Amino acid sequence: MRPSTNGKAVLIALALATVLTGAGSCDVSSTPGSAQGTSGPTAGSGGGGGAASLNGLTVAAAASMSGYSREKFTHWISQGNGCDTRDVVLKRDGKSVKATADCKITAGSWHSPYDDKNLTDPQDLDIDHMVPLAAAWRSGAAKWTDDQRKDFANDLTRPQLFAVSLQSNRSKGDQDPSTWKPPNHAFWCTYATDWVTVKAYYKLSVTQAEKTALADMLATC
């Protein structure tokens, strides 16, 4: 017995509904990175991804410091509303942060991840460049334009800027992980992952000693 015309219509309608439902579910899951966050000192994505990115970095001897000066990396530029880059990082990394109308930070509480210290006086904090300006110069930034160096020195998107204690920042100076690591060992995984993330994004090289030190730190993840 042949199916009626009405029966065929029902079957066609059911098939179309199935196709449309499937297409809708694909659209929802096709947006890359929709559940990922990148701000703050805990931006590290873990040892697996960090190790993979580390292996993708170019290994090269440190270049000469000839011609270097911090002034070639214009930093703490205006970010609007009276705030400069330093102010923005202090607001982002702190809790209950208070500021004047012209964005002078007057109070708040901060945790310095490098040495695991809690601080309440903004004058006790420095804004650290994860990859120091001089370290970037030695690994490729000497060839950049002034605008590229300015972008690097004020990068609020990558894990490059952190509010940390004066002591830890000045102890670090312009050293890479082969000669300086955070005294807070619990932060080594994030520190190494963030260092690799910045160097990979900016296509900066690493020395062999630096790569070995980073691999050791990523092993703690």
Side-chain angles (χ1 to χ4, degrees):
M1 183 175 180
R2 298 177 63 186
S4 66
T5 303
N6 287 341
K8 288 182 179 180
V10 170
L11 291 173
I12 292 171
L14 288 172
L16 284 172
T18 300
V19 170
L20 290 173
T21 300
S25 63
C26 289
D27 290 341
V28 170
S29 62
S30 63
T31 304
S34 59
Q36 297 180 0
T38 57
S39 65
T42 56
S45 59
S53 296
L54 174 60
N55 290 330
L57 296 178
T58 298
V59 176
S64 168
M65 288 296 291
S66 177
Y68 169 78
S69 72
R70 287 179 64 82
E71 286 68 31
K72 291 185 177 181
F73 292 80
T74 304
H75 52 288
W76 307 165
I77 61 174
S78 173
Q79 298 291 344
N81 299 318
C83 300
D84 62 20
T85 306
R86 183 180 191 278
D87 300 323
V88 171
V89 176
L90 285 173
K91 286 185 173 184
R92 183 199 69 191
D93 290 358
K95 295 181 179 179
S96 303
V97 177
K98 296 180 180 179
T100 62
D102 59 352
C103 207
K104 177 179 173 57
I105 310 301
T106 59
S109 61
W110 292 266
H111 179 73
S112 172
Y114 291 179
D115 47 6
D116 198 24
K117 290 183 177 179
N118 294 314
L119 304 164
T120 57
D121 185 347
Q123 298 303 312
D124 291 336
L125 294 150
D126 268 348
I127 305 305
D128 178 58
H129 289 94
M130 170 59 63
V131 176
L133 307 182
W137 182 272
R138 293 191 296 267
S139 55
K143 299 177 181 178
W144 294 351
T145 65
D146 289 343
D147 283 343
Q148 287 174 316
R149 287 190 284 264
K150 180 173 67 174
D151 290 344
F152 175 82
N154 297 276
D155 190 346
L156 293 166
T157 303
R158 262 60 56 183
Q160 167 67 344
L161 298 172
F162 299 92
V164 301
S165 70
L166 293 174
Q167 294 86 348
S168 64
N169 184 52
R170 294 173 189 186
S171 170
K172 173 182 175 179
D174 67 355
Q175 299 176 84
D176 68 49
S178 68
T179 53
W180 189 90
K181 299 178 180 65
N184 178 18
H185 287 205
F187 194 65
W188 280 14
C189 172
T190 300
Y191 187 89
T193 302
D194 290 349
W195 182 285
V196 172
T197 297
V198 172
K199 283 226 158 176
Y201 180 82
Y202 285 98
K203 296 180 173 59
L204 296 170
S205 62
V206 292
T207 66
Q208 185 57 60
E210 179 184 350
K211 182 176 182 179
T212 298
L214 288 165
D216 290 343
M217 294 172 77
L218 289 171
T220 67
C221 294

